[in-house]
Amino acid sequence: MGVFDLTGRKALVTGGARGLGAEMARALARAGAAVMIGDVLEEQGRRTAEELTASGATAGFVALDVTDDDSWAQAVAATVTDLGGLDILINNAGVEISALLVDLEPKDVRLMLDVNILGVALGLKHGFRAMRPTGAAGQGGAIINVSSVAATIAFPGIGGYSATKSAVDRLTRVAAMESGKLGYGVRVNCIYPGLVANQMGMQLAQDMVSLGLWPSVESAVGDVIGLTPLGRLGEQDEMADAVVFLASDAAKFITGVGLPVDGGMGM
Ligand SMILES: NC(=O)c1ccc[n+]([C@@H]2O[C@H](COP(=O)([O-])OP(=O)(O)OC[C@H]3O[C@@H](n4cnc5c(N)ncnc54)[C@H](O)[C@@H]3O)[C@@H](O)[C@H]2O)c1
């Protein structure tokens, strides 16, 4: 078995119904893992899980609102029961609402704080409880949190979002420290994806125009590319491959790091 092989591992991917999370679920399944998709988008989540099953993977869907403690307890318990364990947790669910700081809407900021920070923190709580030696799964494993290049650069119009993604970075490091000190056997890392031309990424580019920061989507995207040494936007599968790497034994001495997957934009 190669060090990247995940055969026999059991994974839960939050926000896995669509976008980066769905691509991460596909990549984990291709590497051999059984995958549970947790999302508030039930219909789309079930469809993505069915697509995985049709491709020959072991996969399922569980309703999960990452902002809700009870929802986490139920989703993790269902994952452990249905898949027969939990070795990999991908805290991917996230929301982005652009605004200039002078126009911040408290309800929008609170939603981002809730989903992007509390959602990840509760994922760490319930992931640790299940994966540590005394837990229902009990085998240790790997947790990968999805931060953003927005945590590593200053970009206008995304102050609230950037703050939440910086918090994910710090949470990751404290979690890795607690897990190590308390013998949970769980590695905790995060990735900082660069801009991807999917639904969220293109909405962000459109928002930059609506906020008056760029004259057109093309010029906003062009400037992001100009700031990126590899000279292009990221692809969803490139974020997913980084997650597979961090989940695998190829990364077994790596914990508490943030891995930029951004073509060099954040360096
Ligand atoms: N798209 C990009 O360019 C980009 C860049 C950097 C980081 N990211 C991060 O990657 C992650 C995935 O983003 P994406 O581009 O796939 O966006 P997306 O909007 O397509 O997917 C986000 C998923 O999270 C789910 N979600 C939202 N709130 C939830 C909740 N309370 N409970 C459970 N699930 C919830 C959504 O239903 C959706 O399936 C996010 O954390 C995002 O911040 C995205």
Side-chain angles (χ1 to χ4, degrees):
M1 205 202 283
V3 287
F4 297 97
D5 194 295
L6 298 178
T7 302
R9 311 281 169 91
K10 285 95 183 176
L12 171 61
V13 182
T14 76
R18 70 178 191 207
L20 297 187
E23 203 58 40
M24 289 166 190
R26 289 184 197 107
L28 289 164
R30 273 198 302 276
V35 182
M36 186 69 84
I37 287 171
D39 207 301
V40 285
L41 295 178
E42 301 208 9
E43 220 181 286
Q44 198 163 356
R46 280 184 212 287
R47 272 205 306 275
T48 305
E50 282 161 15
E51 174 210 311
L52 288 176
T53 309
S55 74
T58 301
F61 172 80
V62 65
L64 169 62
D65 178 350
V66 296
T67 68
D68 186 290
D69 203 30
D70 292 339
S71 180
W72 263 110
Q74 284 163 24
V76 168
T79 303
V80 172
T81 303
D82 292 1
L83 302 185
L86 179 65
D87 311 288
I88 298 164
L89 169 63
I90 315 298
N91 280 316
N92 162 77
V95 290
E96 192 281 318
I97 305 166
S98 309
L100 296 178
L101 291 169
V102 289
D103 295 323
L104 274 192
E105 285 290 347
K107 72 168 179 9
D108 292 345
V109 180
R110 285 200 182 98
L111 179 64
M112 290 190 284
L113 295 171
D114 249 20
V115 178
N116 300 357
I117 304 181
L118 181 63
V120 171
L122 291 177
L124 290 163
K125 169 183 173 177
H126 290 279
F128 279 166
R129 285 185 174 200
M131 294 157 93
R132 64 185 172 177
T134 53
Q139 302 290 312
I143 298 179
I144 295 110
N145 300 325
V146 178
S147 176
S148 168
V149 68
T152 66
I153 58 163
F155 200 78
I158 54 170
Y161 177 73
S162 300
T164 65
K165 291 299 184 176
S166 296
V168 170
D169 173 288
R170 284 302 103 183
L171 264 174
T172 300
R173 301 184 198 240
V174 173
M177 183 61 81
E178 281 190 18
S179 175
K181 267 190 105 53
L182 298 169
Y184 294 168
V186 181
R187 295 182 296 102
V188 188
N189 295 293
C190 70
I191 63 167
Y192 313 111
L195 190 68
V196 174
N198 66 4
Q199 193 165 326
M200 181 187 282
M202 285 302 94
Q203 181 61 51
L204 191 150
Q206 180 58 55
D207 291 344
M208 295 306 108
V209 180
S210 309
L211 295 177
L213 290 163
W214 273 272
S216 66
V217 168
E218 292 70 31
S219 62
V221 170
D223 280 2
V224 168
I225 290 172
L227 290 168
T228 306
L230 291 186
R232 61 173 174 83
L233 298 185
E235 301 284 346
Q236 294 199 133
D237 64 329
E238 293 166 334
M239 310 307 149
D241 288 344
V243 161
V244 170
F245 163 64
L246 288 171
S248 75
D249 289 347
K252 69 177 186 294
F253 200 49
I254 301 177
T255 196
V257 308
L259 178 64
V261 194
D262 63 358
M265 187 187 186
M267 73 178 168

